[in-house]
Structures are given as C-alpha cells and as structure tokens.
Amino acid sequence: MALTGRAGVLALIGVLVVGLLLPSWQGILLVLAMLAACVAVDLVLAASVRRLTFVRAGATSVRTGELCTVQLTVQNPGRRLRGVLRDAWAPSAGVVSDRVLVDVPARGSRTLSFDLRPVRRGDRVSDRVTVRSVGPLGIAARQGSHVVPWTVRALPPFHSRRHLPPLLERLRELDGRRASLIRGAGTEFDSLRTYVIGDDVRSIDWRASARSSDVVVRTWRPERDRQVTIVLDTARTAAGRVEGALGGLPRLDTSMDAALLLSALASHARDQVDFLAFSHKVRASVPRATLPVLVQAMAPLEAELVEFDARGAVAEVLRRAGRRSLVVLLTSLEPSIEHGLLPVLPALAARHRLLIASVSDPALHEMAAGRGDLESVYAAAAAERTLAERRRLTALLARHGVDVVDALPDELPRALADRYLSLKAAGKL
Amino acid sequence: MTAVSPDASRIWTAARGPVLIGVIILFTAVVITLLRGGGEGGSLDPRSYQPEGSHAVAALLERNGVRVEPTDDVSSVEGATLFVTHPALIDPARLADLSRRAAATVLLAPPTGKSPLKVETRDPGCPLAAKAGPATAGGFVYEGEQRCYDSTLVRTGTVTTIGFSSIFTNRDLDEEGNAALALALLGQYDRLVWYLPSAADRSQQKSFTDLIPDGWKFGAWQLGIAAVVIALWRARRLGRVVTEPLPVVVRAAETVEGRARLYRRSHASGHAASVLRQASRDRLAGLLGLPAGEDPSAEIARRTSRSAAGVRTLLYDDDAPVDDRGLVALADELDALENEVRKG
C-alpha cells in the first residue's frame, strides 16, 4: 500500500474542516475516518499488482558506454491499471529513466521501453519491477514488486580499436599485398616469380634462375597460422587503479583493451588466438577466439584479491597449447613475479615464446620527479625504488628470453600490438 | 556599465517615498498620543479628582464609615461590598466566584446589556431606589428580579447590575438623587472593595495555550496528522534500493605512497639518498650510452665543467650521513647534474 499526494492534500483540507467547523476530537476523528474510508475504497478498487505478468525482450549485450533498449511488456488480467512502474537496475546499468507512468487497459497489455547506457563493464542484472497501482480516487495505491530477471552484458569498450587501421596497414605491408621493396617482409618462403625492375636484387634466386630462361626472385610472406595464447592475469595486481586518459581504470581493463587489440590484429594476420583468464584458477577460457566471442568472455571478469598462481597458469598453457606459440601474459611487473613466475619459466620458455605486457603507473613517474620538500623527496625515493625494481625484473626476464612491454595505460595496447608485429616481421613467432 | 545591481543613490530614489510616508505616520501617531495623554486616566477611580473620577463618592462613603479599598487585584471580598467598574475585563467564571463570596456585588455596565437608553433624569419606579428618588440614569438595559430606572438598574439576589456610571462620577454626583443612590448601593456594608480591573491583572493571567481558540488548537492537531500523512506519502519507496556490486579497485600507487610515509616516519634519509643516487646513476648511464653499472663520473667530467671527484662524491658517497634537509638538497643537485649532462 502507498499513499499519494492527494491523501496529503485531503488531510490538509481536513485542517480547515477541523479548525473552522469542528474544533474538537470528534472532528479530528471524523476527518480521519473519512480519509481512511477514501483510502480503503481506493485500495479495494485499484488494479491488482500481484496478478500482473511481465515479459522482457531487447538487448542482451552492449558495448560499455553505448545506448541499448530493453522492453518490458506488462499484461494486466484484471481491472484497468493506472499508476507508475519502476524497472530497477543497479546504478552502473545506467538506466536513463527507470520510472514510467503506466495505463494498461483491463485484460490488455502495454510494452514499455527502458534505455540503458552501462557505465561499467560486466553483467548488469535487473532488480525488481515495482508497480504502484493507484485507485480511482487517486488517494491510495496498491504497490508490489515482481522479479523479472534480465541481464545486459556490458562488453569491454575496446577503446584501442582506433589503433587498428594503421596496424592493419602495417600488416598488409608485411604481407606483401602492398608494393613494398623492403626485404625481410616476412620470413616464410612463398613462391618464385620472374624478376621485374624494382625488385630487390638480393632476393634473386640464382639457382632457380640458372634453370630458367628468366631471372627468378623468391618472394616471402609473413608466417601464418601461428598460435597466440593470451593469458590475462585477473588476480590481485589487476585491481590496481591506474590513471589514464580515460580516467582511473583498473589495470585489468587496460589489459583487456590490449588483449582485444592484439587478438583483432592476430586474427587479421590469420594467427590463431587462444584466450585464457587466470587468477588462482581458470576464470575464462576461449580457444580459437574470435573478437565477438572474446568480448563476451571478457565482460564479466573482475579482479580478485588472490595471488596469481603462475605455476597453475603455466601448467594450463602447456596443457592446451600443443604446438609452439607466442604466450602473451598480461600482468603487472611486481616483485612477486620473481617467486611465482621465474621458477616455472624454463618449462614454458622451452616450448613457447613468452611476452609479458605490464601496465605501468604514470603516478609512479610523477612521484619520482617530485622535488622541493621532504615529503616529495621521500615519495620520489620510494617511487625510484619501485621503478628500479621493475627495471631489475625486466632485465631478469630478458635474461630468460622473455620480452617485456611495460607501458603507460594509454600506450600499452598500441605498444603490445607493435611488438607483436615486429616479432611477426622478424619471424620469431 | 553592465552591472544590474542597484547602487546607493538608486536605492534611495526608490525608497524615499515609502520612507517619507512611514515617517509621517510615526510622527502623527506620536503627536496624537501626546495630545491625548492621560485623557481617559482615572475614570471611576476613587482616587481621581478628574470630572470622570470618583473621589467625591469615595469621600462620602468614608465619611459614612465605609472603608473604601481601591484595588486592581482582589484577594478577599468576604463580608464586603464588591464594586466592579469594568466587569468585561474579568473572566466570567472568576467574576461569578467573587460575587458569590462577596456580601453584595455591584457590576457597572457588564457587556450583557441591550438597547442603550439615553442618560437623563429618570424616576426609580421600584422600592429598591425609592429613597434616592430620581437620578441621572440610562445606559444599558438588563434583566433582573428587581428593576429600577427603566431596567437600567436591576438586582438579582446580592448582585446589582447598573447600566450607567453617571451617579459615581465627580461631575454628576451632585445631580438629583445620584449621591443617595450611590451611597445606597455601595454603602451597604462597612467595607467596600472597589475593583478596578486592568488588563494587567495578575489573577486573571492565563497561559498562552488557554487563550488560543479551540479551532486553532484542534486545527494544529489535524495539521500534525496531515504532516504524518504527507510523510507517509513521501516515505514510501517505489521498490527497494538496488545495491551496486562494486569490484575491488585500489589505487595502484598506494603501496609506493605507503613506503614513502614509512621512509619519512623512520627518517630513513640515508636509504632514500642511496636510492635516489642509484636511480640517477642508472639514468646517467643510459644518457651517456654506458653499460648499466659502470661509473659515469669520468665521462660526465669530460662533458661538463665538473670534476670527476666531485661527481663521484655526489653519485656514490652513500656512507656520508644525510639529514632531511641534506636529502632535499641532494635531490636538487642530482637533478642539476642530469640537466647539465643532457644539455652538454
């Protein structure tokens, strides 16, 4: 049950009645009785909320920050329903307006649309649908809630997709599909063809030319059908918020962005992408990933307050990657790597090539540049200590043959993609 | 000029008319009050010699052995005549109580009278005032057991109600049988309580709530009920509050800040200095293209005007004690050195 503003107005009119006509307890009781009678009439005559049925339809996934629409159909088996309906969602679902006035005729139905603009990645679940059914006098209303489950999956925004066109351009150059005179564009022998003016003389295959009447050159193409295994660390360090151009984002989100750009690029380069999200156990796993499947798999991932189980992750990678592949580990360069990853690194490095991508914190560099007063200088010392630690780790990993990409959040996706392309160009996949 | 807020002169121009009117009203009120000052004072007061006063009748009563007690706060009226000059100013219940306790009561022009008659010489027409004879009577007409002077003076039991005040005033006391009538009414007992009620009578004071009419009182109750109804209307939520499952997010630099505070609290200036030196050495080695870990002092001395020994002291002297002030200075010196190398 709920009262409306009219009940308040009626009670205020009662003030005049009591004050001017019936200044006594009886007067007050009379006014109260009238009010209660009106409320009772409204409650009896209002349409039943309990008997309403609801059906949902509409969007099930949307890129974070973009608009989508979810429909809610109200079926009213009883009296005409007038009132207000609230379709409650969690705040991060970004419902533009969750309340609407409804007027459903008796034994009829109405379809309502709600616009959602999720502000955060993940599964945004609807809460209850609450209806306030106002009686004919408009003084009191019946109110009740229904559970009409619906989930809109807010996909990772993939901000770095703007980097994709220039990267694809570079990929095409590697592929030889664009006229390019650069030798070494690809390492896999493709075919022999006759020499045309402008070809690099170093690519002339003399042995073949001797057998032929023309001068023959070898053509090369980049490696194809290689395997790229992306391992996303969703453990403790991924929860760290790092300030970037898009505001403070957890490392996890930046890593996802980088992973998406890399997998988009790799699938254009006809490499096979396997995706694995790992904390202390497997959080998500997408073999032979395509971009739509990958964003769906990434959407519900959140950082967890557990230590990254490097041993388990390496075991998992070794189990699934049959042939030699590029393993891209998106994590953070923390001292814990030394105890966690380094002992198991030889097992991985023996069969695969490892590339570690880490989000570095611009705040660290700001602190390291702090001067002037004691507090800033101590902060600078602390930051320098951390940076030195990261340099040491990078050097240590490099000694084990691990590539490290350590970049600021805004630069990491591009830097990782560039590193992938240069590895590909060098035939090191 | 883009300012639209009024300045002082504009405010004065706008306000002088109302201010002038206000001053005139105030001045007129003061003048009228001063001119009328004391005009009504002492009306029917037994101590007043004004024409409207009643000293003459009080003096007559005193001479006849009646003790006159002018008062504005009655306490004891037992065995006395009670004369109330302005009954309208007294709470009716209290007046009834007083007249019950008094031996005789004379009420002057209570507000229950009707159709006032002209004040002129009238004959008594009743045994009550037969002795006094004609008097300057008139004023309000009342209901009562004994009626005199065309019902402008009536008596019921011990209570006498009189519709005119002329017989008690200094001005009219010597007319007709006024004095005899006044003495007959007020001199029945040897004590006369001359009650001059005033608005400030303490015995009549009521609390503020007693003075509020019922309509307002119950209206206020109903207003409270209305407030509760409105509160119920506003308080009812349309569905429950939806909680947001927030992910774990911490500022990534938090541990570094914590370490900085730890350094500071323990005054680890020596340690901080060696960290800063190490960082500076690494950067300089990078700038100069030297392998990491190699001493860059000689190369720096070659490129800048500094001496190799001085540079070496600055970059390597971790054993020298450093205080907080020295640490800040050291950081600046290292910066300066790096800048020189960059420029050089």
Side-chain angles (χ1 to χ4, degrees):
Chain A
M1 173 199 149
L3 296 174
T4 66
R6 279 193 202 179
V9 171
L10 218 58
L12 282 177
I13 293 171
V15 173
L16 295 179
V17 173
V18 168
L20 300 178
L21 304 176
L22 299 160
S24 61
W25 292 116
Q26 286 81 358
I28 289 181
L29 278 178
L30 186 72
V31 167
L32 268 182
M34 294 277 290
L35 196 63
C38 291
V39 167
V41 165
D42 254 3
L43 288 181
V44 168
L45 294 182
S48 166
V49 174
R50 189 178 295 275
R51 289 169 60 204
L52 296 176
T53 52
F54 296 89
V55 179
R56 271 196 206 273
T60 53
S61 66
V62 64
R63 199 175 276 161
T64 304
E66 291 181 3
L67 202 66
C68 68
T69 306
V70 173
Q71 281 94 26
L72 179 68
T73 304
V74 189
Q75 278 155 359
N76 179 18
R79 268 191 293 273
R80 179 185 176 194
L81 167 78
R82 283 180 311 146
V84 59
L85 180 146
R86 175 181 174 222
D87 187 13
W89 293 75
S92 61
V95 187
V96 176
S97 167
D98 64 349
R99 283 149 209 252
V100 284
L101 295 174
V102 285
D103 188 348
V104 187
R107 285 175 296 285
S109 72
R110 280 275 180 280
T111 299
L112 311 164
S113 287
F114 294 92
D115 289 338
L116 272 71
R117 193 190 293 275
V119 295
R120 203 155 59 70
R121 181 179 50 76
D123 283 348
R124 303 279 80 97
V125 182
S126 73
D127 201 63
R128 295 172 175 186
V129 173
T130 305
V131 180
R132 186 174 284 181
S133 161
V134 182
L137 299 175
I139 288 172
R142 291 197 206 178
Q143 183 173 321
S145 295
H146 287 259
V147 178
V148 192
W150 192 258
T151 305
V152 172
R153 178 162 284 189
L155 305 174
F158 195 10
H159 293 295
S160 58
R161 64 181 183 277
R162 63 195 162 87
H163 294 309
L164 203 52
L167 288 169
L168 290 177
E169 190 79 358
R170 269 189 65 193
L171 188 67
R172 273 196 290 274
E173 281 173 15
L174 290 184
D175 219 1
R177 265 181 255 169
R178 265 179 62 120
S180 168
L181 301 178
I182 307 158
R183 191 176 181 271
T187 50
E188 216 167 69
F189 175 69
D190 187 20
S191 59
L192 293 169
R193 61 170 169 79
T194 50
Y195 176 86
V196 291
I197 294 167
D199 276 342
D200 190 342
V201 289
R202 288 175 293 175
S203 61
I204 294 172
D205 186 336
W206 296 110
R207 202 183 286 266
S209 300
R211 284 199 297 272
S212 160
S213 57
D214 292 323
V215 180
V216 171
V217 291
R218 292 174 186 219
T219 58
W220 309 85
R221 64 163 196 198
E223 314 155 295
R224 279 183 189 169
D225 304 318
R226 301 294 152 140
Q227 191 168 4
V228 180
T229 306
I230 299 173
V231 182
L232 183 64
D233 170 8
T234 66
R236 156 180 91 74
T237 54
R241 197 183 67 204
V242 175
E243 292 294 329
L246 301 163
L249 282 180
R251 282 205 181 98
L252 181 65
D253 287 51
T254 309
S255 298
M256 276 183 187
D257 219 33
L260 284 174
L261 185 64
L262 177 62
S263 56
L265 188 62
S267 54
H268 274 99
R270 290 181 215 159
D271 283 336
Q272 183 193 320
V273 179
D274 279 7
F275 174 75
L276 181 69
F278 203 91
S279 57
H280 60 297
K281 55 181 181 182
V282 179
R283 308 307 319 190
S285 161
V286 186
R288 310 188 71 84
T290 55
L291 206 57
V293 181
L294 199 57
V295 289
Q296 289 283 348
M298 279 182 179
L301 292 178
E302 294 292 359
E304 294 164 275
L305 289 186
V306 293
E307 189 65 43
F308 180 64
D309 178 12
R311 190 176 293 273
V314 166
E316 185 67 27
V317 169
L318 289 176
R319 194 178 64 74
R320 34 179 78 212
R323 55 200 170 106
R324 183 173 172 80
S325 68
L326 173 70
V327 177
V328 180
L329 175 58
L330 290 147
T331 182
S332 174
L333 281 178
E334 301 268 328
S336 54
I337 281 186
E338 207 169 342
H339 315 294
L341 187 62
L342 275 183
V344 288
L345 203 53
L348 188 67
R351 292 183 57 190
H352 304 289
R353 182 170 193 92
L354 183 60
L355 170 60
I356 290 183
S358 163
V359 186
S360 72
D361 190 352
L364 218 53
H365 298 278
E366 266 169 46
M367 279 170 79
R371 295 290 184 270
D373 59 356
L374 195 60
E375 202 166 332
S376 310
V377 173
Y378 274 127
E384 289 289 11
R385 164 94 200 267
T386 309
L387 289 173
E389 186 75 17
R390 290 176 87 106
R391 280 198 296 273
R392 193 179 65 77
L393 280 173
T394 308
L396 198 62
L397 288 167
R399 276 211 292 283
H400 283 81
V402 177
D403 282 306
V404 176
V405 179
D406 187 16
L408 296 176
D410 301 331
E411 294 156 10
L412 181 71
R414 181 68 199 253
L416 180 63
D418 283 343
R419 183 64 66 90
Y420 163 76
L421 281 182
S422 55
L423 284 176
K424 197 172 180 61
K428 289 183 181 168
L429 288 190
Chain B
M1 290 286 276
T2 55
V4 290
S5 49
D7 57 2
S9 70
R10 220 184 301 171
I11 290 172
W12 167 242
T13 315
R16 65 187 168 194
V19 166
L20 198 66
I21 291 168
V23 167
I24 289 171
I25 289 171
L26 202 65
F27 180 75
T28 316
V30 166
V31 167
I32 289 170
T33 311
L34 287 177
L35 287 180
R36 288 184 58 207
E40 292 287 309
S43 165
L44 290 174
D45 190 327
R47 292 154 298 196
S48 169
Y49 297 93
Q50 299 284 325
E52 294 299 322
S54 302
H55 186 261
V57 71
L60 275 181
L61 286 163
E62 294 274 359
R63 200 176 305 160
N64 285 323
V66 177
R67 188 152 49 87
V68 178
E69 297 172 7
T71 177
D72 61 356
D73 181 17
V74 177
S75 49
S76 154
V77 291
E78 276 73 18
T81 309
L82 174 68
F83 179 40
V84 185
T85 56
H86 298 97
L89 290 178
I90 309 173
D91 177 32
R94 176 167 160 76
L95 189 60
D97 176 52
L98 284 173
S99 50
R100 200 167 52 244
R101 281 155 53 202
T105 307
V106 178
L107 304 177
L108 181 59
T112 53
K114 299 179 284 211
S115 52
L117 301 175
K118 194 165 174 262
V119 178
E120 58 189 9
T121 307
R122 292 174 195 274
D123 288 322
C126 73
L128 177 67
K131 265 197 216 161
T136 325
F140 292 104
V141 174
Y142 295 94
E143 299 285 323
E145 289 169 3
Q146 300 179 54
R147 304 167 181 208
C148 308
Y149 304 105
D150 303 322
S151 294
T152 55
L153 188 154
V154 303
R155 174 172 284 177
T156 306
T158 62
V159 180
T160 311
T161 306
I162 182 167
F164 48 93
S165 62
S166 51
I167 59 166
F168 305 112
T169 59
N170 293 340
R171 186 179 55 216
D172 294 331
L173 189 67
D174 57 344
E175 306 277 329
E176 303 290 341
N178 285 359
L181 183 59
L183 285 177
L185 288 174
L186 302 181
Q188 297 171 60
Y189 301 92
D190 59 356
R191 183 168 157 245
L192 171 66
V193 177
W194 194 303
Y195 192 7
L196 294 154
S198 69
D201 190 344
R202 281 190 304 282
S203 62
Q204 280 179 232
Q205 273 182 1
K206 290 176 166 181
S207 69
F208 177 70
T209 48
D210 292 341
L211 296 170
I212 298 174
D214 277 357
W216 287 88
K217 226 183 293 182
F218 288 102
W221 278 105
Q222 180 61 33
L223 197 63
I225 291 168
V228 171
V229 170
I230 290 170
L232 286 175
W233 161 44
R234 297 306 304 164
R236 185 75 164 108
R237 216 181 254 129
L238 192 56
R240 66 177 181 187
V241 172
V242 186
T243 52
E244 173 77 32
L246 282 174
V248 183
V249 174
V250 278
R251 281 183 358 92
E254 221 155 65
T255 50
V256 181
E257 283 162 10
R259 179 180 285 156
R261 280 193 292 273
L262 217 59
Y263 281 174
R264 183 160 188 201
R265 201 177 308 151
S266 56
H267 297 287
S269 48
H271 182 71
S274 78
V275 169
L276 287 175
R277 282 192 177 110
Q278 176 65 50
S280 219
R281 285 202 297 268
D282 288 355
R283 272 196 298 271
L284 285 168
L287 279 173
L288 298 169
L290 299 170
E294 194 163 305
D295 182 0
S297 330
E299 182 65 22
I300 292 167
R302 205 173 60 73
R303 292 193 179 204
T304 63
S305 55
R306 291 172 184 255
S307 72
V311 173
R312 193 168 290 121
T313 312
L314 182 60
L315 287 179
Y316 282 94
D317 194 11
D318 284 345
D319 296 334
V322 186
D323 60 355
D324 286 348
R325 190 180 304 235
L327 180 66
V328 177
L330 174 74
D332 290 337
E333 279 175 47
L334 289 172
D335 273 4
L337 178 65
E338 280 175 47
N339 280 336
E340 273 180 48
V341 172
R342 274 202 191 89
K343 275 183 205 148

